[in-house]
Amino acid sequence: MRVSNNMMYSGFLSSYNKSLDMMNQVQQQLSDGKIVHRASDDPVRAFRSLRFDVDLTMNTQYTQNSKDATEWLNSSDSALSDFSSVLISAKETTIQAVSANPTVSMQALGSKIDGMINQLVTTANTQIGERYVFAGQKDQVPGGPFERKSLTVGGVTKDYVVYKGDLNKISMPIQSGPADPKKDSVNVTGADVFGPLNAVTDDGGTAYQIAGVFSDLLDVKNQLTAGTPTQSNSLGGAASVSGLYTGAARQSFQVQITGVNAMGQVSGANYSTDSGATWAAVSSITTGTPSSIVPVAGSGITLDIGTSANTTVGDKYSFTVDPGAGSVTDTTWLSNTGLANIDKGHSQILLAQSQIGARQASYEMAQNMMLQDNTTISDNQSANDDLDIAKATIDFKNDQNVYNAALSVGAKIMPTSLVDYLK
Amino acid sequence: MTSAFSGLNTMVRGLYTQQIALNTVGHNIANASTDGFSRQQVNMASSMPETIYSGAGELQVGTGVGVTSIVRARDTFVDQQFWKENSTLGYGTTSQDTLGKIEGIFNDDTTVGTGIQTSLNNFWDAWQTLSTNSSNASAQTAVRERGADLVDNIQHAGDQLKSLVTDVNATLTTQVAQINQITSEIYSLNKQISNVEVGGQDNANDLRDTRDNLTDQLSKLANIRVYEDSNHNYNIQISDVTVVNGGGTTPLATQSSIDPQYGFQVNKVIVAGINPPWNVNFTGGEMHALQEANTVQAQAYLDKLSTVSQFLLQEFNAVHRAGYSSDNSTGVNFFGNAGTDYQAAPLASNGDWLDALKVNPDLYDANGLNKIAIKTSATSATTPADATVAVVQSNANGGKGTVLGTYVPPNANYQNFIVQSMAVSAAGHVSQVRYSLDGGTTYTTVNELPAASGNFALAYGLSVNLADNISNVAGATNGDTFRFGVPQGNASGDNATNLANAIKLPTNAATSILQGASLDDYYGSLVANMGIQVQNSKNLTSNEQTLVDQITTWRQSVSGVNIDEEMTNMIKFQKGYSSAARVVTALDEMLDKLINSTGMVGR
């Protein structure tokens, strides 16, 4: 075939360009270690790279969620252990009070229980960051979900521990799919631990939720410090005994409500001194808020019963008085109802703790799985995206050789022609 | 007898011919690197012999040489091949160019953090964080800002596609002007060549070279069919329009129209001066690639972006509207205008979806963050048995109360129930109760249903069962109260989780416009398809380049100037010329002898 000079020039140029193109591509790959720079370099690889990235993002987020969840669960767990030990010592204190010869006075035991109540309230207000752990979803309620307050209900002023949180669960999902509080909730609410909650409206009209376990402990404390009368209807009007007994020996009284007026005040009552066998009308009763009942004239003691819509006919109030003193601690009540209530509270706390424990185990397992997945996905991503540096370097060397050879051969052949040899 | 001076004539012819040949060689060498030049060759033939009569009879005496023609070395078959392949190459190059620009628009560099995929990932992250931390204001702000980011990215890509169309329009107009200029030049060359070659004797070599070069340029721009008629005119057709022939040219023009879907201006090519305008649809060349970019490719990608926008405005918003926000409002859009239900009132065209995509401006108001729907608020079959519902009875000796049924709450956080027994039979069976939902202020009386079962229906899907008092007949007195409270039991971040899932999980194949793919998959397949298109275009272009290179080489082989060959010819003609000159000298001496020395004997 006839060869013209232009053929050689254009052939050289196009081969040279191809060689430069190859070198350019390898250089781009070597400079950042990635195979694919544009979707067109390898569309399937580019698509897979996007998928891996999405998977990695999801995995990272879920791992973070599970870490947050574990933190929350650990915090709840340690608080619950604290609760448990406090309740155990409350039980010991109560048993000490009930035992035949208490070495410490009832007052002292009462204030010990008081201190434990305060400790429980403080611990129940634990926070993670600025979120309260036992407040349900109202995790930023000011002051914490539990607060000890003195409220006047129906005319009787008592201490209550109110719960200001709610009963919702906090979900920290670790897999895709809708949130399911049964599977991925991480908290126990104040109600789960210290419930059940009762609604109470004070005389000023404000409604409160009262935590049951605390009420029980407060009842024990009141019984120890001031010998509060026990009542058959725990929701009826609160009662207290005032005055000093003028009788000669310890006497126990029962007062039964026989009439309640429309406003919830006591209008009629009987009393019994022989544990309910016989009943007699009380000597005087002043209906009001609270209503004051003097069972026996001249006995020096007055029973005040607060106003409550729940006070019903048939409610009984019992108390024991010592000569020259006010109402004394009813150790019978303590050893029966008081201890039973503390036990109930304790087992509720243990139940909550076991739920937390089960959750902890499952989150830990999930976290391990996700960490493993993370490694797998990263590996896959790297295998897909990253350049085999060794092979690329060898290719580059090859291309460089070809480039140099093309240049040197071109330089030798192209300039010469017959013109150089004609004289 | 020949004339004495006829030898001179012969030599003069020889000198003349060699001179022309040498000039042609010089012309070839001078044009060695000219585009589209074909080397010219001089055809020599010996001139008509002279008949002289001599003693032996007639003799034919040669009279020298003459140039019969100067022809160019050209293979017209290769030219036709070249024009066909060149237009495919032009198409491939320009198409690769525009697709490369589109690829740049969607270039997702996830390590650096740019691109729509990254903003989708970030958006999902923000919802997940919000779902575990739903009261946190910074988590809510993050969600809103990531949403705005996503909108920005999508609309930016849309804007870039539209500006690509504007660029293509400008290029289209320029190329049409170029086509018109080339055809008018070819037309004037047609006329000149016709004039020169009339009679069929002469060859308009250089003019033809110029005309062929112009045709090469035209072939890159459009798909042409070339035919040379009997008057040596080139008839060139582009897609059924004869743009140039012996009689004249047909100029092309551009006409702009507004795209009905997206509202940008599209230029199309028409034949000027005809009413109604005749659309020129190119099937090859750069013009075809430009037309495709304007009408097919930009449209296709804008359609995909508007599908994504439609998904966000309709389906994503539907999940958001179904949820409740922290101030208990519902039916709030996350994307688009406040108050418009995009599923009930779909927008008219694809472009409208893309334009309507924005974060609801209400979310930027003073309390706007509280309108982000994070809760589903309707409980999902959480029975009270699962929740901690303890019933507190006023009469510990009375029958036990149990709560039954599935609680469907109102929007209240917590609901207290007080149930009071009203009618108790002597056997201790409760047959009528009253219940209060407001702490004992108002009561509603309920009878047992069915009879003698002890079940009483309360509100919100709950009922209570009061067991008969079996131990103490006097125990179940009138007025025993049973108290319990029921929680909502739901996670408040759960609608946030639903929204996050709406982006990630596969959609419903029957009802969703994504037809079963998740949003990630849809976008990923957009990128993959684009990559495949660009790759195909690159492959096409490089294959065509190889082909065109091969044809060019073939052309060069036939028409190209080889310097060494020309040098050799130059030596040949130079020697020829100098030999002829030597003969002239010899003849001159002879004539000199004849004229000056003949008949001078003895003088």
Side-chain angles (χ1 to χ4, degrees), chain A residues 2-3 5 40 137 167 177 310, chain B residues 103 414 483 492 501 560 563:
Chain A
R2 181 176 170 275
V3 175
N5 294 92
S40 59
Q137 276 169 6
L167 296 104
N310 302 312
Chain B
E103 191 184 29
Y414 182 86
R483 293 158 175 273
S492 90
N501 288 337
I563 303 270

Side-chain angles (χ1 to χ4, degrees), chain B residues 372-518:
Chain B
I372 299 181
I374 40 183
K375 315 187 272 195
T376 55
S377 179
T379 194
S380 53
T382 306
T383 63
D386 291 336
T388 326
V389 178
V391 181
V392 176
Q393 329 188 160
S394 67
N395 185 353
N397 294 330
K400 191 156 161 16
T402 338
V403 179
L404 307 169
T406 305
Y407 179 53
V408 178
N411 264 336
N413 216 356
Y414 182 86
Q415 186 62 53
N416 282 326
F417 284 78
I418 303 175
V419 176
Q420 212 168 34
S421 61
M422 296 291 284
V424 184
S425 71
H429 175 78
V430 184
S431 58
Q432 191 187 61
V433 298
R434 63 177 188 168
Y435 71 91
S436 168
L437 296 170
D438 49 12
T441 311
T442 57
Y443 283 91
T444 317
T445 309
V446 176
N447 286 328
E448 70 177 342
L449 189 75
S453 61
N455 283 346
F456 300 89
L458 305 176
Y460 304 128
L462 290 178
S463 58
V464 72
N465 173 284
L466 299 181
D468 287 357
N469 186 304
I470 49 172
S471 59
N472 187 350
V473 174
T477 53
N478 288 0
D480 277 357
T481 54
F482 300 82
R483 293 158 175 273
F484 58 93
V486 202
Q488 268 191 329
N490 225 20
S492 90
D494 55 353
N495 203 40
T497 315
N498 285 344
L499 285 164
N501 288 337
I503 308 173
K504 282 286 170 216
L505 294 181
T507 53
N508 185 328
T511 56
S512 163
I513 46 170
L514 297 185
Q515 292 170 336
S518 71

